Amino acid sequence: LAGAVTLPVVFVSTPRAARAAELTTYTDPRLKFQVTYPNDWVTLAGETPAAEDILGGGARDVFTIAPPDADVGKINISIVATPAGADFTKMGSLGDAYGFGFGLTAPLNRPKVRKGRESTIQYCELVDAVQKGDYYKVEYTFAKPSTGFDSLQFVLAGLGYDGRVSHLYTATATLPRGEEEKWRSTVEAIIDSIQYPPTLY
């Protein structure tokens, strides 16, 4: 945020001993978001399909970071910026934090399906949704039994203006349930380090 002071971030890699990690701070030259993470984490670039939600938008760039030698499908943090309409000037335009979190997670919970489509069953449960400054931070669990995928997810959402257009920025962190002691503090420190550009108004 404009004028914000960035404080040192301490990442914990094991539950037994905390250590200060060497950190890298990345500022995206086009989308203007900033994130701090351990410098041995790897970065990847990708693209999402065109958005179909109320915010609209075409294909979007994805910035992803993950621990070295880890299964990127099971543990990663991805940041996406979706173009936002002129009506969306503050996060309050999307409802309060709980309403945003519920709207994010409710469509993902599909415990019942038609016979023959059991492989599409998935479970999603909202754990917490809070306002963090100008942003919304959401925590939820997500599992898909047919694939063995069972995760804890964090989302940090905020609106910002990159100098050209306004975006809804979402950083989504995924980590395996059962490995929370190993990864949670590091992942949350990264999520909490993220800064999106200020809004236009």
Side-chain angles (χ1 to χ4, degrees):
L1 298 175
V5 176
T6 302
L7 299 176
V9 180
V10 175
F11 294 89
V12 179
S13 58
T14 72
R16 293 191 178 91
R19 62 181 176 84
E22 295 293 328
L23 305 177
T24 293
T25 297
Y26 170 79
T27 301
D28 191 273
R30 186 167 62 88
L31 296 172
K32 309 302 182 185
F33 65 81
Q34 180 176 292
V35 57
T36 298
Y37 54 90
N39 65 3
D40 61 344
W41 282 42
V42 297
T43 62
L44 306 97
E47 189 176 82
T48 68
E52 296 180 356
D53 58 24
I54 59 172
L55 293 171
R60 298 159 292 164
D61 294 334
V62 181
F63 176 82
T64 300
I65 54 176
D69 304 319
D71 183 340
V72 177
K74 291 184 177 180
I75 177 164
N76 69 80
I77 299 171
S78 295
I79 302 173
V80 177
T82 303
D87 293 342
F88 300 97
T89 57
K90 301 290 182 182
M91 286 303 292
S93 304
L94 301 171
D96 61 13
Y98 180 83
F100 180 85
F102 183 80
L104 179 70
T105 57
L108 298 175
N109 189 48
R110 302 170 190 164
K112 298 179 181 179
V113 296
R114 294 179 180 177
K115 188 175 181 180
R117 293 179 54 82
E118 288 80 6
S119 64
T120 64
I121 288 175
Q122 56 190 40
Y123 301 96
C124 185
E125 182 178 358
L126 179 62
V127 176
D128 198 12
V130 297
Q131 184 162 351
K132 180 178 179 287
D134 293 329
Y135 310 149
Y136 291 166
K137 185 177 180 181
V138 179
E139 178 181 348
Y140 64 96
T141 59
F142 178 80
K144 192 166 186 177
S146 64
T147 63
F149 189 79
D150 189 6
S151 68
L152 180 65
Q153 309 263 342
F154 294 98
V155 172
L156 186 73
L159 286 162
Y161 178 68
D162 70 1
R164 300 171 299 113
V165 294
S166 293
H167 295 276
L168 173 66
Y169 293 84
T170 52
T172 303
T174 299
L175 63 148
R177 294 180 74 184
E179 296 186 28
E180 293 178 45
E181 282 191 74
K182 180 178 180 181
W183 296 115
R184 179 172 180 137
S185 57
T186 300
V187 166
E188 277 209 87
I190 295 171
I191 285 288
D192 290 341
S193 80
I194 293 172
Q195 297 181 50
Y196 301 131
T199 54
L200 180 58
Y201 302 109

